[in-house]
Amino acid sequence: AMVAHGRVQLLAHPLSQKYLQMKWNSYGKYFHLANLLFYCIFLAFVTLHAYLQMLKPYNASNTIYDDVASGNSTNSTWQNIDPKTQFESWIALYTSTVAILIYNFIGLIREMCNIKEQKCHYIMDPSNFVSWMLYISSVLMVLPCIYPIYDNIQYSAASITVFLSWFNLLLLLQRFDQVGIYVVMFLEILQTLIKVLMVFSILIIAFGLSFYVLMSKVGHALMVFIAILH
């Protein structure tokens, strides 16, 4: 109610803090731990899927099953694996694909509920953008395993998904008292660093363009001088 009526500053009152702490100790931390455990399972499947992608048991023209069945994979690492291990990796790849899609579906439902409850305040939270980027990149990562589309950006999507998934785990840990203070410190330093880089990027661009123009002219003059000598 305080947030809905724009009285966010009242949350810093000792009475409000005590009430929130009581709610956290009674049932909040258990829901958060369950959510963290559920997310760790998703994180394990994302890491496993990215690792299996490095083996590349498929290509743009063949499905995973065709490569495993025929043994015509173009990847040397995959060729050195025995057929039983190839089949197990194929099962693990498809299992992780299904698990990631299920998590994304549940996550999208949760995000829709948050949008309905928070409305405009939802946009102001940067962690929500991280979640949406994670959902999109993870879908692009696993989609070529089901249907051969977007396979040219699969590795790029996998790298983004791995980074965002582990970074999102860091955001989930900030709710715990033991490690949360360090996460908050890191996020504050990151925000300050981004602001500083945005300011000094003007000087970086200025020096970069100046030296580019200078070096290009020097190179052109040097080529003309060499041509005259010859």
Side-chain angles (χ1 to χ4, degrees):
M2 295 180 184
V3 177
H5 292 84
R7 302 294 182 88
V8 183
Q9 66 275 8
L10 295 179
L11 293 175
H13 192 275
L15 183 61
S16 300
Q17 292 289 327
K18 190 64 177 179
Y19 177 69
L20 293 175
Q21 186 66 30
M22 183 184 65
K23 291 179 63 177
W24 168 257
N25 292 330
S26 59
Y27 61 88
K29 62 180 179 181
Y30 300 108
F31 281 101
H32 189 72
L33 285 173
N35 180 44
L36 182 61
L37 178 61
F38 185 58
Y39 182 80
C40 287
I41 297 174
F42 164 75
L43 182 61
F45 279 116
V46 167
T47 307
L48 176 63
H49 194 282
Y51 168 74
L52 293 175
Q53 273 193 17
M54 299 302 297
L55 300 179
K56 197 176 175 60
Y58 59 94
N59 51 47
S61 59
N62 297 326
T63 61
I64 299 175
Y65 178 78
D66 294 335
D67 281 333
V68 173
S70 61
N72 294 327
S73 176
T74 57
N75 187 273
S76 59
T77 304
W78 189 256
Q79 290 176 348
N80 296 330
I81 303 177
D82 59 281
K84 181 180 178 181
T85 306
Q86 289 184 13
F87 182 76
E88 292 175 353
S89 300
W90 172 71
I91 294 296
L93 191 65
Y94 261 105
T95 303
S96 60
T97 299
V98 174
I100 291 172
L101 291 177
I102 292 176
Y103 179 86
N104 285 339
F105 179 74
I106 298 175
L108 288 176
I109 295 177
R110 182 176 56 188
E111 296 299 329
M112 292 301 175
C113 295
N114 291 336
I115 292 175
K116 183 179 179 181
E117 293 179 359
Q118 301 177 13
K119 296 181 174 62
C120 296
H121 298 284
Y122 181 87
I123 306 177
M124 305 303 295
D125 191 358
S127 62
N128 294 326
F129 290 98
V130 175
S131 299
W132 279 102
M133 291 176 61
L134 177 60
Y135 296 146
I136 296 173
S137 61
S138 60
V139 169
L140 293 177
M141 178 183 69
V142 302
L143 197 58
C145 298
I146 302 175
Y147 191 77
I149 57 174
Y150 301 119
D151 54 282
N152 55 333
I153 61 172
Q154 187 178 20
Y155 285 100
S156 300
S159 62
I160 296 174
T161 302
V162 170
F163 173 77
L164 291 178
S165 59
W166 283 94
F167 183 78
N168 199 31
L169 177 64
L170 184 68
L171 298 180
L172 291 176
L173 293 178
Q174 67 178 330
R175 190 61 185 86
F176 297 99
D177 296 334
Q178 292 79 7
V179 296
I181 183 63
Y182 304 110
V183 178
V184 174
M185 289 172 56
F186 169 75
L187 295 178
E188 290 294 331
I189 294 173
L190 182 61
Q191 291 180 2
T192 305
L193 179 62
I194 292 175
K195 293 178 182 178
V196 171
L197 290 178
M198 289 177 62
V199 174
F200 283 98
S201 63
I202 300 175
L203 291 178
I204 296 174
I205 295 174
F207 278 106
L209 292 176
S210 301
F211 278 104
Y212 174 76
V213 173
L214 182 62
M215 297 304 294
S216 63
K217 291 298 181 180
V218 170
H220 179 70
L222 183 61
M223 292 178 62
V224 172
F225 179 73
I226 294 175
I228 293 175
L229 291 179
H230 287 283

